[in-house]
């Protein structure tokens, strides 16, 4: 069983009414329905060393959750539900057995708790409604954020999982021009660390609110090439370039990075279109019948590193999603 399936199984065991209460007010639901003592601790404001994205700490034996208070924030909600994930995992033999066989159980436990929190805050029907059968774009992150109680980071995780090619959703702080968060999918994963600085005079640094930039970047963001993604990238670095579409918001710039190496020259598009990363034009593998939705659809150009099956273009799900 995969991480995604364990997360879905553990969340499905929670009564529907309790899941709704957790999504709306995690602190109150934890105390009232799960008999968990929730304690605010100002000092808890650093990310977990094992890679989890939260400001909390749980004592599973004593049913205590400590968190960095930020009243009403979506990040606080995610933190509380991440810590609930630790409690659920600690009480589940199947999840503990799975973790014991993993090469890095601590990191995978944090990822599993992240997935549990995301599953509660951002249920699959909400994602499907926003995407409406299309592949993710930068605009979908704003729409998904407005349609749910999930943070931008959780929305980025969910949308990255639906990309039909290897890629990433990246959130960049405009004030400091540094990466605030990156969610990647595909193999090998794109490693875009938090805190990575956007170089001076880089197009991603100079965007004004609501301005858009389309071009190519290297994964480390040090190089950028302005130009339409439908055109061929500079050939001397083509194998290292990622197509990028970015839009600046008031506080953050959202960018989607796509790896089209080996297939980028086959992507066609109208150079007059505002956005040429048309999902219908993305590279595909041979068609197959999706076991999730039953459609005869093509999968993405990468295989899921957990189940080995690329995501269906119709529903965006692989075998384990």
């Amino acid at each position: 069983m995969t991480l995604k399936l364990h997360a879905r199984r553990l969340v499905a065991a929670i009564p529907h009414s309790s899941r709704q209460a957790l999504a709306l007010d995690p602190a109150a639901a934890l105390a009232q329905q799960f008999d968990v003592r929730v304690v605010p601790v100002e000092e808890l404001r650093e990310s977990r060393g094992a890679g989890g994205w939260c400001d909390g700490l749980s004592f599973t034996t004593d049913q205590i959750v400590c968190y960095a208070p930020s009243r009403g924030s979506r990040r606080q909600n995610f933190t509380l539900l991440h810590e609930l994930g630790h409690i659920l995992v600690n009480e589940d033999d199947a999840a503990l057995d799975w973790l014991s066989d993993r090469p890095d159980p601590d990191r995978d436990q944090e990822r599993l708790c992240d997935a549990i929190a995301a599953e509660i805050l951002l249920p699959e029907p909400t994602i499907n409604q926003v995407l409406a059968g299309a592949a993710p774009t930068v605009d979908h992150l704003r729409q998904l954020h407005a349609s749910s109680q999930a943070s931008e980071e959780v929305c980025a995780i969910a949308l990255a999982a639906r990309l039909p090619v290897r890629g990433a959703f990246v959130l960049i702080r405009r004030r400091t021009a540094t990466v605030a968060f990156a969610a990647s999918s595909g193999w090998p994963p794109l490693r875009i660390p938090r805190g990575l600085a956007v170089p001076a005079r880089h197009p991603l640094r100079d965007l004004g609110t609501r301005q858009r930039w389309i071009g190519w970047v290297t994964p480390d963001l040090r190089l950028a090439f302005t130009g339409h993604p439908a055109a061929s990238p500079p050939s001397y670095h083509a194998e290292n370039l990622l197509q990028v579409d970015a839009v600046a918001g008031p506080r953050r710039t959202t960018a989607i990075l796509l790896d089209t190496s080996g297939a980028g020259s086959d992507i066609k598009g109208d150079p007059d279109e505002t956005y040429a990363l048309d999902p219908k034009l993305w590279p595909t593998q041979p068609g197959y019948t999706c076991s999730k939705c039953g459609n005869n659809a093509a999968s993405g150009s990468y295989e899921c590193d957990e189940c080995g099956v690329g995501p269906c273009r119709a529903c965006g799900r692989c075998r384990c999603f």
Side-chain angles (χ1 to χ4, degrees), residues 16-28:
H16 180 69
S17 59
S18 296
R19 293 201 302 270
Q20 289 183 315
L22 286 167
L24 292 173
D25 190 344

Side-chain angles (χ1 to χ4, degrees), residues 235-249:
S235 58
Y236 58 90
H237 270 147
E239 71 279 5
N240 297 320
L241 292 180
L242 304 168
Q243 289 185 354
V244 59
D245 184 32
V247 175

